[in-house]
Amino acid sequence: MDSLSFAPSAPPCPPPPPLSTGAPPATRSRPSTTHQDGPLPWSTDLCDCCLDFSSCCLTCWCPCIAFGRIAEIVDRGSTSCGVSGALYTLLLCMTGCSCLYSCFYRSKLRGQYFLEESVCCTDCCIHFCCEQCALCQEYRELKNQGFDLSIGWHGNMERQKRIAGIAPIPEGGMIR
């Protein structure tokens, strides 16, 4: 049975905003493969934490914030960074196994971006053995996909609208 059949199916995310120029060139290049040709490789390896020092520090010292930001983007804004981060912290403090929650989001991220699963380990095994490295890789992947995780899902969608030249619709609807 194909290992991709276990990944939750979700429609692909809308195209992310253009990549910022702040990322190192080595992490911005993606193969020209599409999901019809099979799963895509991750933009960085699991142990490439030092490629992005700020996300490395964040996932090392504040994994609840890193996870909350990842979850908000992967859930497309349906859950907030604060709620996901608080639940992650609660699970970490009460059980020590926050990896059971975070591995679900790795699978969901892989499903959305058609990313390959590790040959030797499942998503849960990767999170159980090396939680910080897994979170850091997911954080880098979303950054390399064009997201600014510090502004959340809605901030990224507003930024994408501004870049595309589409005026945002006022919250109360059209007013004359």
Side-chain angles (χ1 to χ4, degrees):
M1 183 174 246
D2 189 347
S3 63
L4 288 177
S5 62
F6 293 108
S9 61
C13 286
L19 291 173
S20 66
T21 57
T27 62
R28 281 190 270 150
S29 63
R30 296 282 303 187
S32 60
T33 317
T34 63
H35 70 278
Q36 286 108 4
D37 297 333
L40 297 170
W42 290 77
S43 61
T44 59
D45 289 332
L46 183 64
C47 297
D48 285 343
C49 297
C50 293
L51 287 178
D52 183 0
F53 190 68
S54 63
S55 65
C56 180
C57 289
L58 181 67
T59 56
C60 183
W61 301 111
C62 302
C64 55
I65 294 173
F67 173 75
R69 289 177 177 181
I70 293 166
E72 182 177 357
I73 298 294
V74 171
D75 280 343
R76 301 178 185 157
S78 65
T79 57
S80 72
C81 172
V83 170
S84 297
L87 187 53
Y88 179 91
T89 303
L90 184 66
L91 285 169
L92 182 62
C93 292
M94 295 187 75
T95 66
C97 290
S98 56
C99 60
L100 297 176
Y101 182 40
S102 60
C103 72
F104 168 74
Y105 279 91
R106 184 178 184 87
S107 297
K108 197 170 179 180
L109 175 68
R110 279 191 320 96
Q112 286 176 354
Y113 290 102
F114 308 103
L115 299 169
E116 64 189 4
E117 186 172 16
S118 174
V119 177
C120 60
C121 296
T122 64
D123 294 332
C124 286
C125 182
I126 288 171
H127 271 266
F128 182 76
C129 294
C130 195
E131 177 76 0
Q132 276 77 18
C133 291
L135 288 175
C136 194
Q137 183 186 32
E138 294 159 19
Y139 201 93
R140 286 190 315 271
E141 184 66 36
L142 288 170
K143 283 177 79 172
N144 291 339
Q145 290 287 341
F147 291 101
D148 178 356
L149 281 77
S150 65
I151 62 174
W153 174 259
H154 298 293
N156 277 285
M157 293 302 103
E158 286 299 316
R159 185 179 77 168
Q160 184 177 356
K161 287 177 189 175
R162 281 193 312 271
I163 291 171
I166 302 171
I169 299 172
E171 297 233 353
M174 299 295 283
I175 300 174
R176 285 194 134 172

